[in-house]
Amino acid sequence: MTAYKDRSKEELLQLKEELEAKYKEFQGMGLKLDMSRGKPSAAQLDLSMGMMDVLDSFTDLKCEAGIDCRNYGVMDGVPEAKRLLGELIEVPAEHIIIYGNSSLNVMFDTVSHAYTHGVLGMTPWCKLDKVKFLCPVPGYDRHFSITEYFGIEMINVPMTPDGPDMDMVEKLVSEDEAIKGIWCVPKYSNPQGYTYSDETVRRFANLKPAAKDFRIFWDNAYNVHHLYSEPQDVILELLSECEKAGNPDMVYKFSSTSKISFPGSGVAAVSASTANLDDLRKHLKVQTIGHDKLNQLRHVRYFKNIHGIEKQMEKHAEIMRPKFEAVLEILDRELGGLEIGEWTKPYGGYFISFDSMEGCAKAIVAKAKEAGVVMTGAGATYPYGKDPHDSNIRIAPSFPPIEELIQATELFVLCVKLVSVDKLLESM
Amino acid sequence: MTAYKDRSKEELLQLKEELEAKYKEFQGMGLKLDMSRGKPSAAQLDLSMGMMDVLDSFTDLKCEAGIDCRNYGVMDGVPEAKRLLGELIEVPAEHIIIYGNSSLNVMFDTVSHAYTHGVLGMTPWCKLDKVKFLCPVPGYDRHFSITEYFGIEMINVPMTPDGPDMDMVEKLVSEDEAIKGIWCVPKYSNPQGYTYSDETVRRFANLKPAAKDFRIFWDNAYNVHHLYSEPQDVILELLSECEKAGNPDMVYKFSSTSKISFPGSGVAAVSASTANLDDLRKHLKVQTIGHDKLNQLRHVRYFKNIHGIEKQMEKHAEIMRPKFEAVLEILDRELGGLEIGEWTKPYGGYFISFDSMEGCAKAIVAKAKEAGVVMTGAGATYPYGKDPHDSNIRIAPSFPPIEELIQATELFVLCVKLVSVDKLLESM
């Protein structure tokens, strides 16, 4: 394959004509496909249907502490749920608080708490002139929405296959007291599928932030979300690394069962040092009498322990793997050697990160939409929706059935080619 | 019965001796009883066990809009749940947003939203020098905790059997722009069991607050929580009254199924004008991808409609009524005519409000605790835990089995007598 950039104007014009004909065909098909969000497919949800049977009207609804889970109370979560989520998050149960159905909500509340009341008795962020967060980019749009909502200035930090640029992270947090946090999806990152290296995790644990209330927001959303039994990424456990480094309070870890059981009806948790958890409890005890303990019980009785979760994740992988492979096969086949895009090949998580030629992403996503395929909005992977290179596109293969996914990807690569040809012709 | 205040010192001293002997007997019984919180009893929770069977692994888990309730999304709640909670709250479904398992959490979030971002684009409360709330007293401690948490100054407004002192409410809100809200439990109020009169509701709807972002926080927690099929309290619907009065945006109504199905695993909702709901949605869409739709579905398929809920509430009433009657019988029998206490006789709700002689409540609660009966802390029904008369005690008959409740109440009246005698002797 000759790279597009090495082709003559005539060749590109001829190619454009062919591509446009193909695009018209797609337009004629009246497609209505969605590759925009990291939603599990119906087949994946079917894997957890057994969970609907574990509690019935004959079930003993007391948790192991003897407490009636139907009633009010138990703000921290029932002991067996703390243990299960502790295994998932890889920390002891005493470092866990169980929340409701959404880890996003836990992250929001944690930032909100810091904003209105401060962290561990320090100045509430709403009373400061300036609060900043570091945002490894490309990253997760809903993280950025939270910090944007609270008027927190976001600073882009480039991602590498080993994690964020740690030279930059270390320098910034040590110099600027206004920097209060960093958003991380450390394993099978959203959208690249990168996993932070051991060195990166250790450098995180050993940060020397200027702000005493600097916190790492460690969203371990994809800890057990492998695509293969081999290879699988592994990651150092940050909470214990922080303890070793003498920084026990520097991290909040977040996780949930959303992409293990049911996305709308999972169980979320936060894990942190005792001091941080006690701080969060002060907020929590005003906010609620307790989260849904029956759903906690439902999860524990269904999965039993981390092995139950791992077995479930193997079944998820069987559904997800062919989808990732189909997308990657098309990208390789259609775009390999053309030098008009690069993409990641993750071993887990929910996304493939695609980088087009500079200045093309918005046009590609628009073109796909015109022909009936919705992608995540270009720019969404950057704070304020502003990708400075206009090149990153998040591909979410999980939700559509595989035949639709293949169609959508074929259209996507066609749009990449078309927009790239136009871009090259423009500069000739 | 001769009122205590009309007895001689000798009579009181002799009485004190008899009462202390009885108290010692109670102490010897090693009681461990709890009348502190408005928790349904196990028998009440058993009423909803059928709800554990409505969803199983063969159930179609799509809502009537065809959306898979297992997956992410539907921030507002599924249509049938909005309709059911709408019926409960007595407003059309389009004025409802469904939340998670706790209406307390919804109230917290609503205040938090106003604090961090303001109401309908007005100045965030955190940017104001002073924010105040009116608090009808005695009232619900968890309401007061929320406003205290956000540093909001609370002003006591006396309650009457028709609702808060509306002359005072009207005067204060029209004069003071710092007053941004009022906490109300308008039907079967906590702790009195009073229901606001039609005139009170209409005066609420016609308030002319100085602050454009003044809101009535209308916690209709006990709307269907009657003790009798006759008499039952009824209340005017405030949202439509506010519309009629040209104040459509002045109220947030809160409700939940906590004391209808399972307190820990119910469904909560807020109801308000379209403008207010849109304002809340701005907050909500950053905070969550959606609440637990399977639990919404579970509730709708179990109760079907308001008639299903009403039938369920009749069964609750059959369990609650004898408990209220037992407590009231003991209060009447033991304290009637003694002029050492007054109490309410509600037709619904979860509480009886008891007023001791001034300066006695703390001592009564402490004395009961010493003998093994936990009451709601004296003062808890007032902002900052400060009852200026030290006289109000909230009695919560719902949770203990009736035999225990009778024991606890017998001890309670004994403590009232003992402390009252001491008080009278002190002043002789």
Side-chain angles (χ1 to χ4, degrees), chain B residues 403-423:
Chain B
E403 317 75 50
E404 292 187 10
L405 179 68
I406 289 169
Q407 273 192 318
T409 310
E410 296 281 7
L411 174 70
F412 171 71
V413 293
L414 180 62
C415 295
V416 172
K417 290 177 183 174
L418 255 174
V419 171
S420 304
V421 166
D422 279 342
K423 189 81 187 174

PDB file of all heavy atoms in Angstrom, chain B residues 403-423:
ATOM      1  N   GLU B 403     -45.231  -6.054  72.212  1.00  0.00           N
ATOM      2  CA  GLU B 403     -44.967  -6.333  73.635  1.00  0.00           C
ATOM      3  C   GLU B 403     -43.817  -5.460  74.134  1.00  0.00           C
ATOM      4  O   GLU B 403     -43.849  -4.910  75.232  1.00  0.00           O
ATOM      5  CB  GLU B 403     -44.596  -7.805  73.868  1.00  0.00           C
ATOM      6  CG  GLU B 403     -45.446  -8.818  73.119  1.00  0.00           C
ATOM      7  CD  GLU B 403     -45.099  -8.893  71.640  1.00  0.00           C
ATOM      8  OE1 GLU B 403     -43.905  -9.022  71.302  1.00  0.00           O
ATOM      9  OE2 GLU B 403     -46.036  -8.792  70.809  1.00  0.00           O
ATOM     10  N   GLU B 404     -42.783  -5.362  73.305  1.00  0.00           N
ATOM     11  CA  GLU B 404     -41.637  -4.527  73.671  1.00  0.00           C
ATOM     12  C   GLU B 404     -42.019  -3.058  73.714  1.00  0.00           C
ATOM     13  O   GLU B 404     -41.568  -2.303  74.584  1.00  0.00           O
ATOM     14  CB  GLU B 404     -40.499  -4.709  72.661  1.00  0.00           C
ATOM     15  CG  GLU B 404     -39.863  -6.078  72.719  1.00  0.00           C
ATOM     16  CD  GLU B 404     -38.625  -6.181  71.828  1.00  0.00           C
ATOM     17  OE1 GLU B 404     -38.160  -5.140  71.318  1.00  0.00           O
ATOM     18  OE2 GLU B 404     -38.142  -7.307  71.643  1.00  0.00           O
ATOM     19  N   LEU B 405     -42.849  -2.675  72.768  1.00  0.00           N
ATOM     20  CA  LEU B 405     -43.289  -1.288  72.704  1.00  0.00           C
ATOM     21  C   LEU B 405     -44.043  -0.915  73.977  1.00  0.00           C
ATOM     22  O   LEU B 405     -43.848   0.174  74.544  1.00  0.00           O
ATOM     23  CB  LEU B 405     -44.189  -1.098  71.479  1.00  0.00           C
ATOM     24  CG  LEU B 405     -44.764   0.281  71.278  1.00  0.00           C
ATOM     25  CD1 LEU B 405     -43.665   1.277  70.918  1.00  0.00           C
ATOM     26  CD2 LEU B 405     -45.839   0.271  70.199  1.00  0.00           C
ATOM     27  N   ILE B 406     -44.880  -1.822  74.447  1.00  0.00           N
ATOM     28  CA  ILE B 406     -45.658  -1.572  75.665  1.00  0.00           C
ATOM     29  C   ILE B 406     -44.720  -1.421  76.851  1.00  0.00           C
ATOM     30  O   ILE B 406     -44.828  -0.465  77.631  1.00  0.00           O
ATOM     31  CB  ILE B 406     -46.699  -2.703  75.880  1.00  0.00           C
ATOM     32  CG1 ILE B 406     -47.803  -2.574  74.815  1.00  0.00           C
ATOM     33  CG2 ILE B 406     -47.273  -2.667  77.294  1.00  0.00           C
ATOM     34  CD1 ILE B 406     -48.757  -3.752  74.737  1.00  0.00           C
ATOM     35  N   GLN B 407     -43.771  -2.336  76.975  1.00  0.00           N
ATOM     36  CA  GLN B 407     -42.768  -2.232  78.048  1.00  0.00           C
ATOM     37  C   GLN B 407     -42.044  -0.893  77.991  1.00  0.00           C
ATOM     38  O   GLN B 407     -41.858  -0.210  78.999  1.00  0.00           O
ATOM     39  CB  GLN B 407     -41.729  -3.341  77.888  1.00  0.00           C
ATOM     40  CG  GLN B 407     -42.083  -4.647  78.562  1.00  0.00           C
ATOM     41  CD  GLN B 407     -40.859  -5.554  78.589  1.00  0.00           C
ATOM     42  OE1 GLN B 407     -40.138  -5.642  77.607  1.00  0.00           O
ATOM     43  NE2 GLN B 407     -40.649  -6.226  79.701  1.00  0.00           N
ATOM     44  N   ALA B 408     -41.604  -0.555  76.772  1.00  0.00           N
ATOM     45  CA  ALA B 408     -40.829   0.674  76.608  1.00  0.00           C
ATOM     46  C   ALA B 408     -41.666   1.895  76.982  1.00  0.00           C
ATOM     47  O   ALA B 408     -41.168   2.832  77.617  1.00  0.00           O
ATOM     48  CB  ALA B 408     -40.334   0.785  75.167  1.00  0.00           C
ATOM     49  N   THR B 409     -42.932   1.867  76.595  1.00  0.00           N
ATOM     50  CA  THR B 409     -43.780   3.024  76.890  1.00  0.00           C
ATOM     51  C   THR B 409     -44.087   3.112  78.382  1.00  0.00           C
ATOM     52  O   THR B 409     -44.134   4.210  78.958  1.00  0.00           O
ATOM     53  CB  THR B 409     -45.088   2.957  76.067  1.00  0.00           C
ATOM     54  OG1 THR B 409     -44.767   2.712  74.705  1.00  0.00           O
ATOM     55  CG2 THR B 409     -45.858   4.260  76.160  1.00  0.00           C
ATOM     56  N   GLU B 410     -44.285   1.964  79.013  1.00  0.00           N
ATOM     57  CA  GLU B 410     -44.507   1.966  80.464  1.00  0.00           C
ATOM     58  C   GLU B 410     -43.300   2.582  81.172  1.00  0.00           C
ATOM     59  O   GLU B 410     -43.448   3.369  82.107  1.00  0.00           O
ATOM     60  CB  GLU B 410     -44.738   0.534  80.986  1.00  0.00           C
ATOM     61  CG  GLU B 410     -45.985  -0.162  80.457  1.00  0.00           C
ATOM     62  CD  GLU B 410     -47.287   0.275  81.149  1.00  0.00           C
ATOM     63  OE1 GLU B 410     -47.257   1.226  81.954  1.00  0.00           O
ATOM     64  OE2 GLU B 410     -48.354  -0.351  80.872  1.00  0.00           O
ATOM     65  N   LEU B 411     -42.123   2.207  80.716  1.00  0.00           N
ATOM     66  CA  LEU B 411     -40.923   2.792  81.298  1.00  0.00           C
ATOM     67  C   LEU B 411     -40.869   4.294  81.018  1.00  0.00           C
ATOM     68  O   LEU B 411     -40.533   5.101  81.888  1.00  0.00           O
ATOM     69  CB  LEU B 411     -39.655   2.125  80.761  1.00  0.00           C
ATOM     70  CG  LEU B 411     -38.372   2.816  81.241  1.00  0.00           C
ATOM     71  CD1 LEU B 411     -38.158   2.585  82.746  1.00  0.00           C
ATOM     72  CD2 LEU B 411     -37.163   2.367  80.455  1.00  0.00           C
ATOM     73  N   PHE B 412     -41.223   4.648  79.775  1.00  0.00           N
ATOM     74  CA  PHE B 412     -41.177   6.060  79.386  1.00  0.00           C
ATOM     75  C   PHE B 412     -42.058   6.919  80.297  1.00  0.00           C
ATOM     76  O   PHE B 412     -41.610   7.939  80.838  1.00  0.00           O
ATOM     77  CB  PHE B 412     -41.602   6.215  77.919  1.00  0.00           C
ATOM     78  CG  PHE B 412     -41.785   7.642  77.499  1.00  0.00           C
ATOM     79  CD1 PHE B 412     -40.697   8.491  77.346  1.00  0.00           C
ATOM     80  CD2 PHE B 412     -43.065   8.158  77.270  1.00  0.00           C
ATOM     81  CE1 PHE B 412     -40.869   9.814  76.959  1.00  0.00           C
ATOM     82  CE2 PHE B 412     -43.243   9.484  76.893  1.00  0.00           C
ATOM     83  CZ  PHE B 412     -42.138  10.311  76.738  1.00  0.00           C
ATOM     84  N   VAL B 413     -43.307   6.495  80.500  1.00  0.00           N
ATOM     85  CA  VAL B 413     -44.195   7.310  81.339  1.00  0.00           C
ATOM     86  C   VAL B 413     -43.688   7.374  82.781  1.00  0.00           C
ATOM     87  O   VAL B 413     -43.814   8.402  83.453  1.00  0.00           O
ATOM     88  CB  VAL B 413     -45.671   6.824  81.298  1.00  0.00           C
ATOM     89  CG1 VAL B 413     -46.267   7.032  79.909  1.00  0.00           C
ATOM     90  CG2 VAL B 413     -45.821   5.371  81.732  1.00  0.00           C
ATOM     91  N   LEU B 414     -43.080   6.304  83.222  1.00  0.00           N
ATOM     92  CA  LEU B 414     -42.484   6.301  84.559  1.00  0.00           C
ATOM     93  C   LEU B 414     -41.382   7.351  84.651  1.00  0.00           C
ATOM     94  O   LEU B 414     -41.291   8.110  85.623  1.00  0.00           O
ATOM     95  CB  LEU B 414     -41.945   4.898  84.865  1.00  0.00           C
ATOM     96  CG  LEU B 414     -41.291   4.699  86.216  1.00  0.00           C
ATOM     97  CD1 LEU B 414     -42.277   4.939  87.358  1.00  0.00           C
ATOM     98  CD2 LEU B 414     -40.690   3.287  86.327  1.00  0.00           C
ATOM     99  N   CYS B 415     -40.556   7.393  83.599  1.00  0.00           N
ATOM    100  CA  CYS B 415     -39.472   8.384  83.573  1.00  0.00           C
ATOM    101  C   CYS B 415     -40.039   9.804  83.533  1.00  0.00           C
ATOM    102  O   CYS B 415     -39.501  10.717  84.171  1.00  0.00           O
ATOM    103  CB  CYS B 415     -38.558   8.150  82.377  1.00  0.00           C
ATOM    104  SG  CYS B 415     -37.661   6.584  82.456  1.00  0.00           S
ATOM    105  N   VAL B 416     -41.103   9.988  82.773  1.00  0.00           N
ATOM    106  CA  VAL B 416     -41.741  11.312  82.723  1.00  0.00           C
ATOM    107  C   VAL B 416     -42.183  11.715  84.132  1.00  0.00           C
ATOM    108  O   VAL B 416     -41.938  12.842  84.590  1.00  0.00           O
ATOM    109  CB  VAL B 416     -42.949  11.312  81.764  1.00  0.00           C
ATOM    110  CG1 VAL B 416     -43.720  12.627  81.860  1.00  0.00           C
ATOM    111  CG2 VAL B 416     -42.501  11.062  80.324  1.00  0.00           C
ATOM    112  N   LYS B 417     -42.829  10.790  84.812  1.00  0.00           N
ATOM    113  CA  LYS B 417     -43.306  11.092  86.171  1.00  0.00           C
ATOM    114  C   LYS B 417     -42.155  11.432  87.108  1.00  0.00           C
ATOM    115  O   LYS B 417     -42.181  12.438  87.828  1.00  0.00           O
ATOM    116  CB  LYS B 417     -44.076   9.895  86.731  1.00  0.00           C
ATOM    117  CG  LYS B 417     -45.428   9.651  86.065  1.00  0.00           C
ATOM    118  CD  LYS B 417     -46.062   8.402  86.665  1.00  0.00           C
ATOM    119  CE  LYS B 417     -47.383   8.048  85.988  1.00  0.00           C
ATOM    120  NZ  LYS B 417     -47.917   6.757  86.466  1.00  0.00           N
ATOM    121  N   LEU B 418     -41.139  10.575  87.090  1.00  0.00           N
ATOM    122  CA  LEU B 418     -40.007  10.751  88.001  1.00  0.00           C
ATOM    123  C   LEU B 418     -39.331  12.099  87.807  1.00  0.00           C
ATOM    124  O   LEU B 418     -39.080  12.839  88.763  1.00  0.00           O
ATOM    125  CB  LEU B 418     -38.976   9.651  87.715  1.00  0.00           C
ATOM    126  CG  LEU B 418     -38.883   8.515  88.718  1.00  0.00           C
ATOM    127  CD1 LEU B 418     -37.937   7.435  88.222  1.00  0.00           C
ATOM    128  CD2 LEU B 418     -38.417   9.036  90.076  1.00  0.00           C
ATOM    129  N   VAL B 419     -39.034  12.402  86.529  1.00  0.00           N
ATOM    130  CA  VAL B 419     -38.329  13.646  86.237  1.00  0.00           C
ATOM    131  C   VAL B 419     -39.216  14.850  86.571  1.00  0.00           C
ATOM    132  O   VAL B 419     -38.734  15.862  87.094  1.00  0.00           O
ATOM    133  CB  VAL B 419     -37.875  13.668  84.762  1.00  0.00           C
ATOM    134  CG1 VAL B 419     -37.332  15.043  84.372  1.00  0.00           C
ATOM    135  CG2 VAL B 419     -36.835  12.573  84.503  1.00  0.00           C
ATOM    136  N   SER B 420     -40.520  14.706  86.335  1.00  0.00           N
ATOM    137  CA  SER B 420     -41.433  15.823  86.622  1.00  0.00           C
ATOM    138  C   SER B 420     -41.515  16.077  88.124  1.00  0.00           C
ATOM    139  O   SER B 420     -41.523  17.235  88.578  1.00  0.00           O
ATOM    140  CB  SER B 420     -42.827  15.526  86.058  1.00  0.00           C
ATOM    141  OG  SER B 420     -42.759  15.264  84.679  1.00  0.00           O
ATOM    142  N   VAL B 421     -41.586  15.015  88.892  1.00  0.00           N
ATOM    143  CA  VAL B 421     -41.623  15.159  90.345  1.00  0.00           C
ATOM    144  C   VAL B 421     -40.362  15.867  90.834  1.00  0.00           C
ATOM    145  O   VAL B 421     -40.421  16.817  91.634  1.00  0.00           O
ATOM    146  CB  VAL B 421     -41.768  13.777  91.023  1.00  0.00           C
ATOM    147  CG1 VAL B 421     -41.467  13.882  92.517  1.00  0.00           C
ATOM    148  CG2 VAL B 421     -43.164  13.210  90.797  1.00  0.00           C
ATOM    149  N   ASP B 422     -39.216  15.406  90.328  1.00  0.00           N
ATOM    150  CA  ASP B 422     -37.953  16.050  90.709  1.00  0.00           C
ATOM    151  C   ASP B 422     -37.976  17.541  90.388  1.00  0.00           C
ATOM    152  O   ASP B 422     -37.544  18.368  91.185  1.00  0.00           O
ATOM    153  CB  ASP B 422     -36.782  15.395  89.961  1.00  0.00           C
ATOM    154  CG  ASP B 422     -36.349  14.094  90.636  1.00  0.00           C
ATOM    155  OD1 ASP B 422     -36.700  13.901  91.826  1.00  0.00           O
ATOM    156  OD2 ASP B 422     -35.682  13.282  89.978  1.00  0.00           O
ATOM    157  N   LYS B 423     -38.475  17.840  89.184  1.00  0.00           N
ATOM    158  CA  LYS B 423     -38.513  19.229  88.733  1.00  0.00           C
ATOM    159  C   LYS B 423     -39.378  20.080  89.669  1.00  0.00           C
ATOM    160  O   LYS B 423     -38.988  21.188  90.060  1.00  0.00           O
ATOM    161  CB  LYS B 423     -39.101  19.268  87.314  1.00  0.00           C
ATOM    162  CG  LYS B 423     -39.018  20.610  86.629  1.00  0.00           C
ATOM    163  CD  LYS B 423     -37.628  20.809  86.049  1.00  0.00           C
ATOM    164  CE  LYS B 423     -37.412  22.200  85.502  1.00  0.00           C
ATOM    165  NZ  LYS B 423     -36.008  22.373  85.081  1.00  0.00           N
TER     166      LYS B 423
END
